[in-house]
Amino acid sequence: MSADVMAEMKWVYTFGGGDSEGEAGMRELLGGKGANLAEMAKLGLPVPPGFTITTEVCNAFYANNRNYPETLTAQVEAALAALEAKVEKSFGDATNPLLVSVRSGARASMPGMMDTVLNLGLNDETAEGLAQLSGDRRFAYDSYRRFIQMYSDVVLGLDHAVFEDILETFKDENDYSLDTDLTAEDWEVIVKEFKEAAARELGRDFPSDPREQLWGAIGAVFSSWMNDRANTYRRLHDIPESWGTAVNVQAMVFGNMGETSATGVAFTRDPSTGDTGYYGEFLVNAQGEDVVAGIRTPQCLTEDMRERMGDPAPSMEQAMPESFAELSRVFDQLERHYRDMQDIEFTVERGRLWMLQTRNGKRTAKAALKIAVDMAEEGLITEEEAVMRVDPAQLDQLLHPTLDPDAPRDVLTSGLPASPGAACGIAVFDADEAESRASHGEKVILVRVETSPEDIHGMHAAEGIVTARGGMTSHAAVVARGMGRPCVSGAGSIKIDYAAKTFTVAGRTVKDGDILTVDGSTGQVLLGAAKMIQPELTGDFATLMGWADKSRRMKVRTNAETPADAKTAVEFGAEGIGLCRTEHMFFEADRIAAVREMILSDSQDGRVTALDKILPMQRDDFAEIFRIMGERPCTIRLLDPPLHEFLPHTAEDVADVAAATGLPAAELLARAADLSESNPMLGHRGCRLGITYPEIYEMQARAIFEAQVIVEKETGVRPVAEVMIPLVATAAELAILKARVAGVASAVAEETGKTPVYLIGTMIELPRAALRAGDIAKDAEFFSFGTNDLTQTTYGLSRDDAGKFLGDYIEAGIFEKDPFVSLDRDGVGDLVQIAAERGRATRDSLKLGICGEHGGDPASIHFCEESGLDYVSCSPYRVPIARLAAAQARLAAKS
Ligand code: ADP
Ligand code: MG
Ligand code: MG
């Protein structure tokens, strides 16, 4: 940005008190929180006024060596003056002080960011003024101590334990158990001790100038954009650094002004189940952070919820009927306005309701489905919008097991059902350890007193989460739901000893490494591994998938080679097999001996003899799959890996094979050495095997065609085979192999009197094949993009070795994402599009599909839609995800 442009920029937008300069559509500039505060104020809802410092300031700040734009100070001063006029109070005034909250707000809600600072603007003078003005000294000094504590923690980075210790000691000495037991005088004493402690820790006085406090907090928000927590969160959620965060400065309203005041959080529908009916918690005489921090146990919002939870404390509906009625009206208005379930924060100050936040609520997959389907049926959104509303990646949660209700359970304890689904793993008490043990393939359950943003990586690595403290809206609960990890929060009866790595409950002790099962749907924590059951794919799931199928153009197939996988995939809606790898079939215990015999024989005759033994087994494999797939097309790839992969590796294996084949071990080892290659990925594999050992592919082709005939005779259904030749680089390779396979098909037709239905095509997985697609399509009736190998060969990057440095590449910004997970559109994608175009120019009817790992990745599926592929193929469990993603890609392309 040039200096001229900078000088003209509008950095600050006001909201509330009659009008707003911003609106919901401006979330890129104002962040989600700021844009929605502006929108709510525009709708005429009661929003404490304030102003938003834009995300552009954040970007300018980092672009300019952590300096603010020159004109920012003046714009903030002007907005502050306007705010003072609206609320008729003055910032820093000793008799009529304005207090503000300073709140971060990125485009997408980000738990890694700076925590909110409340009650900013207090010092000895303004606290006294607040006491006079409110007629409530206790409230004034309660606010003041909160401010010192929060500001010290969040802005000054002091250890919060110092303040907690002071408060605990004071309570002990005075025989108090609750914070609410403290009087005005007590809080004054605490404030004094807090300030002294802060000065000691800081080496200077705690800042008493409200403007210094304000700029300190603003600076802390912008700095937090680049802290470790935020960086980790952004990486996990694909949020670009360039988005920046906004800062909201807002007049305080007080939920801690006695029994007619309260603060709370609510969802307009149940975020776990999607059920209609408000869902939320509130605390009387408290400020916002009390709810989230889990310091006090919140009460239920509605009577209905209170009854369901069996909570003895009165609900808000009961305790504050008028505010509750007003809140209900606001909920309905906001849901109609945003046409989505809302997550809302509010405060009641002496009976008066104030709205502090609204956003589209995070929800479990189950709730997302139900809410989308319900809202479409209510007429609030269209069926197509409903399809767009569910995150395909989130569906994963529904496709995984839950606990079998009839199986015996050894229940250790119960907490809150904070995030549904069941998971099983070993107990681990530390986030770093959870991450490292998970990276070694162990399944872990993370057990914590409570979680904080520092634990996010461990929560991500864990199968499930248990916390001793915290409600349904605690950090653990919110984050776990977002990540789709089963979570039990507030399991208050467990006593965790971090040092010993154990927890005890009801006289039993669970050690680090003991197996636990977490049932996030009921809140139970069980000892040992409990029996799980497979998910139900009916109801809302079926309805939404039906709508998705209506919207989608691309077909969805599956990668499967076992009957079990094929069955699962068909249940999940697979419309064919996109990749059946035949080599896995070679490893089966009953045939590996024959496979080795084939590989080890040095003559064609020897190989044919061995292959004759394999043929019937392979034919049975294919027949089984054709029976399951019916008329759905099955792409079967002929043998692909280098032969030495099948040879024995250990001395013991060698001895076994020697005994079975009658060959001396030395000869075996010599043959293995013969076959070994220095770069097997680029070696004698794929169609190159077919060229040198014609009999192998001929056997496989025969097994396929004979199986088709058998199944047709048996069932009357004609199976459809797509015989796929792997690793083709030249048109000539394919021409030679196609002729042989077609020859086998004719032979089988002649022998059996039945002509199998088949196509012959190739996998496009080498750059040369992509570039020469026009030639290759003369013989290929289909292309299947093998994007795993195509990514390896395009980048010249071995997937098995890349893991060691991919992290560095992503950190350095060279790769935005792992190209083996999400297709590289620019390079690999270019080759895909070139091949599609050139191939179709030769052969109009050329069928195009993708069978790499990318076939189940929603972003890659969007690319496939844009490139005009006919189908994607993915692992069975991802089939519903791909169906939904393909529908969304189609709808996005149409709009
Ligand atoms: P987060 O993004 O972590 O939810 P918020 O900025 O929403 O942080 O602030 C957390 C809580 O602080 C709010 O839910 C609310 O209870 C309280 N809060 C924030 N601003 C104000 C304010 N101006 N007046 C009263 N309470 C506030
Ligand atoms: Mg909030
Ligand atoms: Mg390959």
Side-chain angles (χ1 to χ4, degrees), residues 584-601:
H584 290 236
M585 300 169 169
F586 279 27
F587 278 111
E588 298 279 307
D590 56 344
R591 56 193 82 163
I592 185 72
V595 171
R596 286 171 173 163
E597 183 186 328
M598 182 266 292
I599 295 169
L600 292 167
S601 66

Side-chain angles (χ1 to χ4, degrees), residues 33 103 345 357 359:
K33 204 177 281 167
R103 319 171 65 184
E345 297 173 10
Q357 190 168 337
R359 61 183 160 196

Side-chain angles (χ1 to χ4, degrees), residues 88-296:
E88 300 179 344
K89 292 179 197 298
S90 289
F91 194 55
D93 190 289
T95 54
N96 185 23
L98 163 66
L99 303 189
V100 296
S101 64
V102 176
R103 319 171 65 184
S104 63
R107 250 193 247 184
S109 130
M110 266 186 52
M113 301 288 302
M114 188 198 86
D115 295 321
T116 296
V117 178
L118 302 178
N119 312 309
L120 189 141
L122 281 173
N123 55 29
D124 292 353
E125 288 76 42
T126 54
E128 200 46 47
L130 186 65
Q132 300 294 326
L133 196 67
S134 63
D136 187 344
R137 285 191 82 70
R138 188 189 177 283
F139 149 71
Y141 283 90
D142 174 47
S143 302
Y144 194 9
R145 66 90 191 180
R146 287 172 185 272
F147 168 63
I148 298 171
Q149 206 170 350
M150 282 183 118
Y151 194 88
S152 298
D153 174 22
V154 168
V155 179
L156 303 175
L158 303 183
D159 182 359
H160 52 85
V162 174
F163 302 99
E164 280 154 22
D165 286 349
I166 292 173
L167 186 52
E168 284 310 310
T169 311
F170 187 89
K171 278 158 71 176
D172 282 352
E173 284 169 357
N174 291 279
D175 269 343
Y176 293 146
S177 62
L178 298 172
D179 288 4
T180 39
D181 295 338
L182 274 76
T183 63
E185 291 68 37
D186 292 333
W187 285 126
E188 282 193 61
V189 174
I190 295 284
V191 162
K192 201 160 153 282
E193 290 190 25
F194 274 12
K195 278 179 38 183
E196 283 163 8
R200 245 190 341 267
E201 300 275 312
L202 272 178
R204 62 183 156 85
D205 282 347
F206 181 87
S208 62
D209 172 10
R211 273 186 171 62
E212 183 188 342
Q213 296 171 354
L214 179 62
W215 284 103
I218 292 169
V221 174
F222 287 135
S223 301
S224 73
W225 180 247
M226 292 291 186
N227 70 21
D228 290 346
R229 274 162 31 178
N231 286 335
T232 307
Y233 188 86
R234 273 200 296 276
R235 206 172 52 242
L236 290 175
H237 292 83
D238 291 329
I239 296 174
E241 210 171 274
S242 61
W243 282 10
T245 182
V247 182
N248 301 289
V249 177
Q250 185 177 30
M252 280 298 297
V253 289
F254 300 99
N256 57 333
M257 275 194 170
E259 296 303 304
T260 56
S261 300
T263 185
V265 295
F267 293 87
T268 54
R269 306 189 185 211
D270 187 323
S272 287
T273 61
D275 289 342
T276 44
Y278 313 131
Y279 181 91
E281 297 170 329
F282 82 115
L283 272 175
V284 177
N285 196 9
Q287 286 196 333
E289 79 272 15
D290 299 350
V291 181
V292 184
I295 294 168
R296 277 165 60 191

Side-chain angles (χ1 to χ4, degrees), residues 103 132 280 443 531 568 840:
R103 319 171 65 184
Q132 300 294 326
K443 291 190 188 311
K531 191 164 165 242
T568 307
R840 282 207 167 131

Side-chain angles (χ1 to χ4, degrees), residues 21 42 124 133 178 185 208 213 245 314 469 485 487 588 671 680 688 751 753 782 794 809:
E21 292 179 321
K42 276 205 154 138
D124 292 353
L133 196 67
L178 298 172
E185 291 68 37
S208 62
Q213 296 171 354
T245 182
R469 266 197 244 154
R485 297 291 181 280
C487 175
E588 298 279 307
R671 177 79 178 131
R688 300 161 194 169
E751 291 158 23
F782 66 88
T794 300
Y809 262 55

